[in-house]
Amino acid sequence: MTRHWTQLRRSRLSRRSLLRASARAGVGAAGLALVGCGGDDDDDQQQAVAQVQQEQDQPQQQAMQQQQQEAMQQQQQQQAMQQEQQAEQQVQQVEQQEQQQQEELDRATAQEEAEVSEVDLDAEIIVGYGSFPPTLDITTAGGGGGQGASNNLHFAALSAYNSGRVIQPTGGFGDWEFAEDLTSFRWKIKEGVTFHNGEPLNAEAVQFYFERILGRAEYNPDFESQLRARAAWMGDITVVDEYTLDIAMDTPFVDAPEQSGGINFGLLPKQYIIDNGDDHFANNPIGLGAYKFMSWVPDQEIRSERFEEFAFDHDAPFQFKRGWAKHITGRYFPEEQARAAALEAGEVDIAYRISPDVAAQFEDRDDFKVIALPDVRVMAIELPVNQSLDPITGEENPWRDLRVRQAANYAIDADAIIDNLLTGTEERAYSPFPAGYDPPIGDLPGQYNFDPDKARALLEEAGQIGFAFTITLPTGLWTADRIWMPAVQQMLNDVGFQVEVDYADFGNALALMRNNELPNPYIFNQAGVSSGAPLGPAFAYRLVTTIGAPYSHAQETDDFLPEFQAFQALIDEANAEFDQQRANDLYYEASVISYENAFQVPLFGLPHLYAVRPEILYNEFFGTSTGLNPIYVQKLKT
C-alpha cells in the first residue's frame, strides 16, 4: 500500500471523529442554553416595598414566565434535535463516502499488489531527457547536473536519508558520528560492498575520494572538483582501520554529514581512476549505485544495466533501492515536443519533464498517464551582487544598488504566471524562505508583491531606467521553462529594464555557474525549498549550501556587500552550532537579511510533469522530489 493511500485513510478517520465531536457540541450548546439566571440581593427600603408589590403580582408573572420558559425550552429542544439530526446525517454521509472510498482503496491496493507481482524484472525502460551532462564524472561542475540520466543510477553517497530528506546516522553505505570534543568526524564504512568493477568500498577508497575532491590526491593534485568548496571544512583525513575514517575539523561543522556523505558526494573507485586517468573516467564512469554504466554516445544516448550485487534490496528502509528494470536507457531530446512525439511513437517509455500544455495531450487517455512530482526547491533569478564593478561593462555594478534589486522583485507577477501559464497548483516563493512560508517584512513597506509602478519608481530613483542585461536560462530540465521565461522577461522590460534571455544548454551552463564563470544573472532552482520541507529556512541552507547569488557568483577576491558579510557571518555561526533550535534561529536571522536585501528574485516552485506509458508504475521515496528517479520505476509485463 502506498503512503498516499495511508494518509488518505488517516485523514478520513480524523474527519469522522471531528464530525461526531461537532454533533456532541451542538447538543451541549442547547443544554447550556436552558440554564436560568438569578437576581441580586437588595436591602434598602424602596426595594423592599417594590418587592412586596412584586410578590403580590408574582403568581401571574410566574405563570407567564413559566409559559415563556416552556415555549423557549420546547423551541431549544427542537433546535437541538434538528442540530443533532443534521450532524448525524452529515456523519452518515461521510461514513457512506468513506465506505465507498475504502472500497476503492481496497480495490486499488489489490490491483497495486497484483500489478507489482507482474513487474517485468527483465525490462528495458527508455527515458527521453531534455538535458544530458557534458561529462559523466559526478564530482565535476558539468557532471554534477546529470542526476536523471547518470548520477542517480551510477553513483551512491555514504549517507541514508528518510523520506523527509533528513540525513540518518546509520543505515547507509556508512555510519557517522562526531567525536565528543568535536575536533573530528568519523565514518564507519559498510563492510562487504564493492564498486561496479569489483574494487572494495573501504576507508582507503573514501579517503582517496575526498583527497581527490580537495586537490590533494598525489596522482593529480590539479584535479578540479565542483565539490571542493563543500569539502573545505575537512582537515587531515586519517584511515583508522580498514573500514573506519576520521576527518579532522579545525572548527566544529554541524553540516559535516551532509558535506561528506550527502547526496552530492557520489563515491568513486580509487585504483580505476589512478590507472586510467580523469578523462577516461569522465567517459567511462564506475560507481556503486543501483545501475552500472554500459555505454555513452554524447548528446544521444546513455545505457545502464542493473547492478546485481547492489548492497540493498527493493524494500530497504531508506533511499537506497535495488533497481527494478534490467536496463535503463536515456535518450536525448532537447525539445519537449520531440520527447512527446517519441512517447507517442513508442520510442520511449517516459517523456521527462514536460510543460502543462504538452502534458494535457496525454491526460484522460487509456494509453498514457501523467505523473506530477513536487520539487523540493524553488526557482529564482540569481543576481551578481558581490562585485563593485560590472564584470561585463567594467562600470559600476547596478546590482549593488538595493533599489535595483527591489525593482526586479516588484516587477514580477508570479501569481499571474502560476495561474495562466502553469498548472495553477504551484506555490509562490519568498526565497530563501520556503514556498508557502510567511516571511517577516521587517522595515520593508510590504512583501515583494507585484507592483510595477513601485518597480519603475525605484529604477528611476536609482537612475537605472534602461539598464540592459542578459539572463541565462539553462534549458531542458525545468517544467515549461520556455513558456514562463518570456513572461518574466516581458515583466522586467515593462518597468524599465532591457532584458535579453540566453537559452543555454543546461549541462554547459551549470559548469559555468559552479566555476563562477557566468557573470550575468541566471535562473536556477537552488533558491529555497518547497513548503513540504522541514525546518523552514534552516532546511534550505542545509540542503543547498550554494543557495542564491551570494554564493553562486562569489569569488574569494570579491568585495562583498556589508549586508552580505553580516548574512555570511550568521550562516558560518549556524554551521558550527549543534543546538538545533539555536541553529534554526541563526538561519532565520540570515534569511531575513537575505530577503530584506533582495539578494535574489524568487519566483515559484515547479511541479515536474512526466508523461508515461500505461505499464509504467512509479512510487517516489521522498516526500518532495528533485526529479523522477528511474531506479524506482517499475514496468509491468505486457
Side-chain angles (χ1 to χ4, degrees):
M1 182 184 299
T2 63
R3 293 191 307 276
H4 171 70
W5 281 109
T6 302
Q7 291 168 353
L8 283 178
R9 175 179 287 178
R10 288 175 179 169
S11 67
R12 290 169 189 148
L13 288 173
S14 299
R15 181 170 179 179
R16 178 187 299 171
S17 301
L18 181 63
L19 286 169
R20 286 188 167 167
S22 174
R24 289 194 297 269
V27 175
L32 288 173
L34 299 179
V35 178
C37 300
D40 295 332
D41 292 333
D42 301 319
D43 54 8
D44 58 43
Q45 186 174 6
Q46 290 180 352
Q47 288 178 339
V49 172
Q51 182 174 357
V52 171
Q53 183 66 37
Q54 182 178 3
E55 289 175 352
Q56 293 175 351
D57 298 335
Q58 188 171 9
Q60 184 178 358
Q61 292 175 351
Q62 286 178 342
M64 293 177 60
Q65 290 175 355
Q66 184 175 358
Q67 291 176 354
Q68 292 174 351
Q69 187 174 15
E70 288 176 352
M72 183 181 296
Q73 288 176 344
Q74 184 177 6
Q75 182 179 4
Q76 290 172 341
Q77 289 173 355
Q78 291 176 347
Q79 292 176 346
M81 291 178 61
Q82 290 175 353
Q83 290 174 351
E84 188 170 358
Q85 289 174 354
Q86 292 173 353
E88 185 61 30
Q89 288 175 355
Q90 190 175 7
V91 170
Q92 291 176 356
Q93 290 174 355
V94 170
E95 288 180 339
Q96 290 175 355
Q97 293 174 355
E98 288 180 348
Q99 183 178 356
Q100 294 174 354
Q101 291 168 344
Q102 183 62 47
E103 292 173 355
E104 294 174 2
L105 169 60
D106 294 339
R107 286 194 297 270
T109 302
Q111 180 180 359
E112 182 177 323
E113 291 173 351
E115 288 175 341
V116 170
S117 68
E118 296 299 320
V119 172
D120 186 354
L121 299 179
D122 294 321
E124 177 187 25
I125 293 175
I126 304 175
V127 185
Y129 290 98
S131 174
F132 261 16
T135 169
L136 301 187
D137 185 343
I138 188 176
T139 65
T140 62
Q147 286 86 352
S150 175
N151 295 355
N152 289 342
L153 302 177
H154 303 146
F155 306 104
L158 285 167
S159 286
Y161 290 82
N162 66 16
S163 59
R165 292 190 179 276
V166 177
I167 199 166
Q168 303 296 298
T170 61
F173 283 100
D175 300 340
W176 54 265
E177 63 180 0
F178 288 92
E180 290 187 6
D181 60 1
L182 300 180
T183 61
S184 66
F185 179 74
R186 171 166 290 187
W187 279 106
K188 188 70 175 178
I189 312 302
K190 182 179 179 69
E191 298 184 19
V193 176
T194 65
F195 290 94
H196 298 155
N197 65 341
E199 283 190 50
L201 174 66
N202 53 29
E204 185 178 324
V206 178
Q207 179 195 43
F208 168 80
Y209 174 75
F210 292 142
E211 298 283 13
R212 180 176 184 255
I213 288 171
L214 291 164
R216 303 177 188 171
E218 294 182 3
Y219 86 103
N220 181 11
D222 296 325
F223 178 74
E224 291 290 336
S225 171
Q226 57 102 3
L227 296 173
R228 181 173 298 186
R230 294 178 182 266
W233 62 274
M234 297 183 183
D236 291 337
I237 304 171
T238 305
V239 173
V240 178
D241 58 40
E242 185 176 3
Y243 295 104
T244 306
L245 186 78
D246 282 351
I247 306 173
M249 297 186 294
D250 292 336
T251 58
F253 183 48
V254 70
D255 212 26
E258 182 71 49
Q259 303 310 330
S260 61
I263 55 177
N264 293 283
F265 290 78
L267 297 165
L268 313 177
K270 173 182 178 178
Q271 202 59 46
Y272 178 79
I273 293 175
I274 293 176
D275 291 345
N276 296 280
D278 297 320
D279 290 342
H280 177 84
F281 180 84
N283 291 279
N284 302 274
I286 296 291
L288 51 77
Y291 284 81
K292 57 185 180 181
F293 168 81
M294 299 302 292
S295 64
W296 177 34
V297 180
D299 292 335
Q300 292 188 39
E301 182 180 85
I302 301 175
R303 296 180 61 84
S304 308
E305 182 177 80
R306 186 173 59 224
F307 182 43
E308 301 297 353
E309 289 76 40
F310 188 62
F312 300 91
D313 211 335
H314 299 300
D315 58 353
F318 299 119
Q319 84 276 14
F320 301 113
K321 311 285 185 183
R322 182 181 300 277
W324 291 95
K326 177 71 172 179
H327 295 96
I328 292 178
T329 298
R331 292 183 180 164
Y332 181 52
F333 299 92
E335 300 295 334
E336 66 169 339
Q337 286 290 359
R339 297 196 292 279
L343 181 65
E344 286 272 14
E347 298 173 5
V348 302
D349 299 295
I350 300 171
Y352 201 84
R353 290 192 178 176
I354 55 177
S355 68
D357 287 345
V358 173
Q361 301 174 19
F362 299 98
E363 292 178 336
D364 301 323
R365 293 176 58 176
D366 294 334
D367 50 347
F368 296 102
K369 298 185 294 187
V370 175
I371 297 172
L373 300 176
D375 198 338
V376 69
R377 296 165 295 193
V378 298
M379 309 303 300
I381 306 174
E382 311 292 357
L383 304 176
V385 300
N386 284 323
Q387 299 180 49
S388 58
L389 298 180
D390 188 321
I392 297 176
T393 66
E395 300 175 356
E396 185 176 354
N397 181 5
W399 293 115
R400 300 277 284 197
D401 191 322
L402 174 61
R403 294 169 296 183
V404 176
R405 303 196 300 273
Q406 289 181 337
N409 274 271
Y410 285 121
I412 307 299
D413 190 350
D415 292 323
I417 294 175
I418 290 171
D419 292 339
N420 298 300
L421 300 179
L422 297 172
T423 67
T425 62
E426 293 78 7
E427 292 179 299
R428 183 180 166 193
Y430 294 97
S431 179
F433 296 91
Y437 197 86
D438 184 20
I441 57 178
D443 296 330
L444 296 174
Q447 296 174 339
Y448 294 122
N449 295 316
F450 176 56
D451 193 334
D453 293 335
K454 183 180 291 186
R456 177 171 284 274
L458 286 166
L459 271 189
E460 289 178 347
E461 183 181 331
Q464 292 296 338
I465 292 291
F467 170 32
F469 61 92
T470 297
I471 298 178
T472 296
L473 172 69
T475 61
L477 189 63
W478 298 313
T479 299
D481 52 8
R482 291 180 180 269
I483 295 176
W484 52 260
M485 188 63 221
V488 171
Q489 177 186 13
Q490 185 62 52
M491 291 171 182
L492 290 168
N493 288 340
D494 286 345
V495 302
F497 292 103
Q498 293 183 10
V499 180
E500 297 292 335
V501 178
D502 173 25
Y503 293 89
D505 173 77
F506 183 89
N508 292 328
L510 182 64
L512 293 174
M513 294 175 199
R514 288 181 167 166
N515 288 329
N516 296 311
E517 297 173 356
L518 191 61
N520 51 277
Y522 58 79
I523 300 289
F524 209 61
N525 72 336
Q526 289 186 325
V529 293
S530 72
S531 59
L535 302 182
F539 191 78
Y541 286 111
R542 285 180 169 167
L543 177 70
V544 186
T545 58
T546 55
I547 183 174
Y551 294 95
S552 55
H553 288 90
Q555 300 278 1
E556 292 181 1
T557 57
D558 287 344
D559 53 335
F560 296 118
L561 289 169
E563 296 85 356
F564 173 67
Q565 292 175 350
F567 164 84
Q568 186 60 53
L570 288 168
I571 294 295
D572 291 342
E573 185 179 354
N575 286 344
E577 179 56 68
F578 284 77
D579 182 282
Q580 182 69 68
Q581 186 57 55
R582 174 59 180 159
N584 291 351
D585 292 342
L586 291 167
Y587 285 124
Y588 184 86
E589 292 179 44
S591 298
V592 172
I593 293 176
S594 177
Y595 183 76
E596 291 184 344
N597 287 279
F599 285 152
Q600 57 195 184
V601 184
L603 299 173
F604 33 71
L606 281 178
H608 296 305
L609 305 178
Y610 309 84
V612 305
R613 297 187 62 78
E615 62 268 23
I616 295 296
L617 298 181
Y618 184 77
N619 288 310
E620 173 65 55
F621 170 74
F622 292 111
T624 51
S625 172
T626 56
L628 183 145
N629 188 338
I631 292 174
Y632 305 143
V633 173
Q634 300 170 336
K635 190 173 187 178
L636 301 181
K637 298 175 182 177
T638 57

